[in-house]
Amino acid sequence: VYAIGIGAGDPEHVTVQAIGAMNAVEVFFVVEKGPDKRALEQLRLEICERYIEHDRYRIVAIPDPERDRDATAYAAAVREWRVERARRYEQAIATELGEDGVGAFLVWGDPSLYDSTLASLEAALAGGHVTFEVEVIPGITSVQALAARHRTVLNRVGGDVRITTGRRLREGRAKLDDDLVVMLDAECSFKALAGEEGVEIYWGAYVGTPQEILIAGPLAEVAEEIESARARARERNGWVMDTYLLRRRRDR
Ligand SMILES: C[S@@+](CC[C@H](N)C(=O)[O-])C[C@H]1O[C@@H](n2cnc3c(N)ncnc32)[C@H](O)[C@@H]1O
């Protein structure tokens, strides 16, 4: 079973290695995550049509289990949800792939970054009803795509870069000592730093797609512009995926 990184939205992010692997696959497992994510599922199908040179492959949907976000026992609810998801992966692999069958999950960006595919495959193996080997084909992450579109480098000379989430930034658990890449942020968490002098932001939504929006500049000056561009885009498309780099300006 391959976990194939497909890049962050531009079909041309797909690597030659990924195309080679995709052409060897019989069954593509597509995890259905609800109406918000339909456009992302669609892109996966387009990638198959564009790069696979035969028609001997099948698409098998795996509906993602409903997650009870209001559960009082939050940790227990998340655990249960993970177990159920792994069970569905296990069952799909066992029923859809033969003895020497080759399957694949097409993973947004790269499987190494804020993605649960590898953990779910490991849990599916641990279920003990089916055995398979996992091979990972790396893809271009949204972080690399963002840096490229802003023609910037993630770290400063000899410096560190940290990748974090909007939630951790809001909770003050990710500090701006390092250059900071923020993902999974539905709440424009950069606003908390907008009052600080000398902070710069490089923001991108739908990077690599025709809807791409890029805004960069001093955070104090562009924070509101980003917030309203994000809100309008969300309204227009029904969903938005954005990532940004924050850094403190270093004056000589
Ligand atoms: C569940 S994570 C998956 C990350 C993915 N594995 C990767 O390598 O980029 C989803 C987050 O990735 C970021 N993201 C993914 N695609 C993006 C894109 N085309 N433009 C901007 N941000 C993107 C957003 O921060 C989004 O909330």
Side-chain angles (χ1 to χ4, degrees):
V1 175
Y2 284 111
I4 303 177
I6 55 166
D10 181 346
E12 301 211 338
H13 286 170
V14 176
T15 68
V16 175
Q17 189 184 27
I19 294 171
M22 284 168 60
N23 273 281
V25 169
E26 303 163 32
V27 179
F28 289 90
F29 297 103
V30 175
V31 183
E32 290 181 336
K33 294 189 174 174
D36 286 11
K37 301 282 162 70
R38 207 69 12 108
L40 308 188
E41 287 163 24
Q42 192 52 38
L43 184 84
R44 287 175 171 85
L45 303 184
E46 280 169 34
I47 283 177
C48 288
E49 276 166 27
R50 178 158 170 179
Y51 293 116
I52 300 176
E53 289 167 359
H54 58 81
D55 54 10
R56 300 181 302 281
Y57 66 92
R58 289 179 292 127
I59 307 283
V60 170
I62 306 181
D64 220 20
E66 287 279 325
R67 190 156 145 192
D68 183 359
R69 290 177 193 273
D70 301 326
T72 38
Y74 181 75
V78 170
R79 226 177 3 257
E80 237 171 69
W81 174 74
R82 287 201 179 127
V83 168
E84 173 56 19
R85 189 170 50 183
R87 201 191 58 74
R88 292 183 186 192
Y89 278 38
E90 185 180 0
Q91 195 177 28
I93 292 168
T95 52
E96 299 291 341
L97 292 183
E99 196 61 25
D100 296 315
V102 182
F105 289 80
L106 299 182
V107 179
W108 199 260
D110 181 76
S112 67
L113 195 60
Y114 293 115
D115 186 85
S116 57
T117 308
L118 296 180
S120 297
L121 288 174
E122 204 174 301
L125 262 175
H129 295 105
V130 61
T131 57
F132 53 91
E133 281 168 33
V134 176
E135 187 164 337
V136 178
I137 309 289
I140 292 175
T141 67
S142 51
V143 178
Q144 292 162 284
L146 176 82
R149 296 296 291 137
H150 281 291
R151 295 180 286 254
T152 193
V153 177
L154 295 174
N155 63 290
R156 257 87 56 90
V157 180
D160 299 324
V161 55
R162 174 194 277 234
I163 301 176
T164 191
T165 63
R167 171 186 289 245
R168 287 181 65 84
L169 182 65
R170 275 197 309 283
E171 292 173 351
R173 288 195 279 163
K175 300 276 184 245
L176 201 48
D177 307 333
D178 299 330
D179 286 7
L180 211 56
V181 174
V182 184
M183 305 176 71
L184 292 161
D185 184 6
E187 299 184 26
C188 296
S189 308
F190 53 77
K191 284 189 295 183
L193 297 168
E196 288 191 31
E197 274 301 300
V199 178
E200 301 198 318
I201 186 166
Y202 299 80
W203 177 82
Y206 317 99
V207 177
T209 75
Q211 293 96 331
E212 179 179 273
I213 314 170
L214 301 170
I215 299 176
L219 182 61
E221 289 172 26
V222 298
E224 276 180 24
E225 181 188 344
I226 295 174
E227 194 180 5
S228 61
R230 190 183 193 283
R232 272 184 272 118
R234 192 171 202 294
E235 183 78 32
R236 211 169 37 242
N237 300 320
W239 60 281
V240 59
M241 280 206 305
D242 58 334
T243 302
Y244 49 93
L245 169 67
L246 286 172
R247 67 169 41 129
R248 228 177 259 291
R249 208 172 43 233
R250 281 188 195 153
D251 294 319
R252 285 174 175 233

